[in-house]
Amino acid sequence: TEAKEFLRKKLIGQVVEVKMEYTRKVPGGDSAGAGPGSSERELAFANVEVVPEKGEERQHVGEMVAARGFASVIRHRSDEERSSVYDRLLECEALATSAKRGLHAAKAPPPNRVNDVSLPGSATKAKQYLPFFMRAGKLLATVEFVLSGHRLKLSIPKESAIITFAPSGIRTPARAQAAGGGRPAVAGEPYGDEAF
């Protein structure tokens, strides 16, 4: 959660540069990216850097995360393809280890106690939160995910809850849906894809 919040604050609204570096085939089974009957899938790896404003230095996202101890560096053999900043990532991880930050800290972080009442089957739990939300009137929340043009997944830190939210008084056009699970295909409404 700390890593996600750190990246959200650092990167949302920023212009970034993505540099594709290499691809690697990994065992994959039926996972996304694997072809029919394939036992491998191909993953693409890239570096992400924040494009600096005048007078600022470039910031490499992987280095920022590793230096704060939010991630560990994947070890590679010398004959494997790896990031062009691999050595710098190792240095950042070593700094975080010596400073005992994040993953390298002596004690475990406190457990993340967030109630995700947006999940299917949590309607009863969601109803328990409703009186608190109604009494509070206005709440500060962070948009975690945009589900569609009229549905958002919101994190409410004060209540340690994640909810699905639909703004009142609006309806966006429906997108086309493919047939599946015994349901027939449904034609989309005009501007349905744009609203999504």
Side-chain angles (χ1 to χ4, degrees), residues 103-127:
L103 298 170
H104 315 290
K107 68 177 192 177
N112 184 16
R113 299 184 196 274
V114 175
N115 292 312
D116 191 345
V117 295
S118 67
L119 298 172
S122 59
T124 306
K125 204 182 238 187
K127 287 178 184 175

Side-chain angles (χ1 to χ4, degrees), residues 13 47 57 60 78 89 131 136 145 154:
N47 278 322
E57 282 187 37
H60 187 275
S78 60
L89 290 170
F145 190 74
L154 300 178

Side-chain angles (χ1 to χ4, degrees), residues 46-101:
N47 278 322
V48 179
E49 291 183 342
V50 177
V51 176
E53 294 183 13
K54 284 192 170 186
E56 293 181 358
E57 282 187 37
R58 280 187 173 270
Q59 294 180 308
H60 187 275
V61 174
E63 290 176 22
M64 290 190 300
V65 173
R68 283 163 181 79
F70 293 143
S72 55
V73 179
I74 298 171
R75 302 301 193 254
H76 292 288
R77 296 187 312 256
S78 60
D79 63 331
E80 287 184 319
E81 287 187 282
R82 55 187 178 190
S83 173
S84 61
V85 294
Y86 182 70
D87 293 331
R88 291 197 336 237
L89 290 170
L90 290 173
E91 289 171 15
C92 289
E93 182 183 41
L95 287 172
T97 302
S98 65
K100 298 189 183 316
R101 290 186 195 136

